[in-house]
């Protein structure tokens, strides 16, 4: 059965020279199986010091539906996601990280839910992280639940599907890991419906993870504090 809508898929990529090729190849396989009206794949290459940029360009040359956005220097996770959302041209936009820690076959479940919900948000059934990462993620989700009254099980899970029109209705302010929470909070304030779906999380085999660096954590909590002051004014 053909799906009568188009889909943008994008991948933030940093230190992913050994991952991004696998991710993009699998994405194209899944997207062809979905029989969409149209699709595009965008790699947001965030100034990687390894060969990620070169590999991304070779994928764009190999596959007509793939394009690359390069950052001359590393701009961080939030800025990279924002680039993906703002450059998406299709009816819906899906993203996951370029580190090959998710099974892209699970995108089929998300697409199947489009007639019934506005947003499909993944939660990791079993996080393949160190105990330190699991602890910081737990505390982060707990703080967001307390401050913003959001009940998402795993708000920073990098496996989400949105209607592209949402990003014409909101302004993304975050430059770090708070971006997922900011988008979900603003979507709910606009009465977008959300369905959560469990997804498998795979161990990172190649590349370097930078999400749990203390500098990123401190910047993210700074963003939470600044946004909370605005949020209280909006909801009071």
């Amino acid at each position: 059965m053909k799906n009568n809508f188009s889909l943008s898929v994008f991948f933030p990529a940093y230190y992913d020279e050994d991952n991004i090729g696998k991710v993009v190849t699998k994405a194209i396989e899944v997207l062809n199986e979905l029989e969409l009206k149209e699709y595009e794949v965008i790699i947001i290459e965030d100034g990687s010091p390894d060969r990620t940029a070169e590999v991304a360009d070779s994928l764009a040359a190999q596959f007509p539906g793939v394009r690359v956005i390069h950052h001359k220097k590393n701009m961080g996770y939030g800025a990279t996601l924002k680039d993906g959302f703002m450059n998406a041209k299709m009816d819906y936009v899906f993203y996951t990280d370029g580190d090959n820690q998710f099974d892209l076959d699970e995108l089929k479940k998300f697409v199947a839910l489009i007639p019934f919900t506005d947003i499909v948000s993944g939660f990791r059934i079993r996080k393949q992280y160190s105990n330190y990462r699991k602890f910081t993620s737990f505390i982060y989700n707990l703080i967001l639940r307390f401050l913003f009254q959001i009940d998402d099980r795993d708000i920073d899970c990098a496996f989400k599907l949105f209607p592209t029109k949402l990003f014409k209705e909101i302004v993304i302010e975050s430059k770090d890991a708070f971006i997922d929470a900011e988008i979900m909070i603003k979507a709910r304030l606009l009465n977008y419906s959300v369905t959560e779906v469990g997804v498998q999380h795979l161990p990172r085999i190649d590349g370097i993870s930078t999400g749990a660096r203390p500098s990123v954590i401190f910047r993210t909590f700074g963003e939470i504090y600044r946004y909370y002051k605005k949020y209280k004014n909006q909801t009071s």
Side-chain angles (χ1 to χ4, degrees):
M1 179 179 175
K2 290 189 176 182
N3 290 293
N4 192 31
F5 53 83
S6 58
L7 179 63
S8 297
V9 171
F10 77 87
F11 306 107
Y14 185 68
Y15 269 118
D16 284 317
E17 64 177 49
D18 295 320
N19 293 314
I20 195 63
K22 301 171 194 173
V23 172
V24 169
T25 303
K26 180 63 179 180
I28 290 171
E29 176 189 320
V30 170
L31 289 165
N32 286 331
E33 290 175 10
L34 285 169
E35 296 187 74
L36 300 157
K37 183 171 69 175
E38 190 178 0
Y39 72 78
E40 65 174 352
V41 176
I42 311 169
I43 304 167
I44 316 292
E45 189 280 305
D46 192 25
S48 296
D50 63 355
R51 294 180 60 255
T52 301
E54 182 182 333
V55 175
D57 285 338
S58 69
L59 290 165
Q62 181 180 355
F63 299 107
V66 177
R67 59 190 171 103
V68 185
I69 296 173
H70 290 284
H71 292 168
K72 291 183 180 180
K73 63 178 182 178
N74 179 251
M75 296 178 64
Y77 192 64
T80 306
L81 287 195
K82 182 177 179 179
D83 257 7
F85 292 126
M86 301 312 295
N87 281 280
K89 297 178 180 178
M90 304 299 170
D91 300 324
Y92 289 85
V93 56
F94 166 82
Y95 90 93
T96 190
D97 291 341
D99 57 12
N100 202 31
Q101 284 196 259
F102 291 95
D103 179 0
L104 280 162
D105 276 317
E106 302 206 76
L107 174 58
K108 297 172 188 175
K109 298 188 296 188
F110 283 47
V111 167
L113 288 168
I114 281 177
F116 310 105
T117 189
D118 295 321
I119 297 168
V120 189
S121 179
F123 64 88
R124 289 161 286 192
I125 294 171
R126 187 176 180 182
K127 295 180 182 180
Q128 297 297 317
Y129 285 149
S130 66
N131 288 334
Y132 168 70
R133 283 290 300 272
K134 290 177 183 176
F135 175 74
T136 56
S137 179
F138 171 77
I139 295 299
Y140 178 66
N141 280 278
L142 195 65
I143 289 170
L144 295 177
R145 189 171 295 120
F146 175 74
L147 292 179
F148 302 105
Q149 293 78 52
I150 50 176
D151 295 323
D152 301 64
R153 293 180 60 169
D154 187 14
I155 201 162
D156 54 343
C157 176
F159 206 90
K160 293 185 176 73
L161 176 67
F162 298 97
T164 308
K165 67 176 184 176
L166 170 64
F167 300 98
K168 295 178 173 63
E169 299 178 54
I170 66 172
V171 176
I172 298 174
E173 302 167 62
S174 175
K175 296 179 181 178
D176 280 297
F178 182 62
I179 186 171
D180 278 300
E182 179 191 350
I183 292 168
M184 297 300 284
I185 291 164
K186 288 181 174 179
R188 283 191 167 87
L189 289 172
L190 292 171
N191 295 315
Y192 279 76
S193 59
V194 180
T195 299
E196 294 187 277
V197 176
V199 293
Q200 297 296 325
H201 191 222
L202 309 174
R204 180 164 184 149
I205 297 172
D206 296 301
I208 298 171
S209 176
T210 59
R213 290 181 299 185
S215 59
V216 174
I217 293 170
F218 285 125
R219 288 198 306 268
T220 300
F221 279 108
E223 288 189 335
I224 292 171
Y225 173 72
R226 288 189 293 274
Y227 184 73
Y228 178 68
K229 291 192 294 183
K230 294 182 181 180
Y231 173 82
K232 290 302 289 182
N233 290 333
Q234 290 175 295
T235 57
S236 59

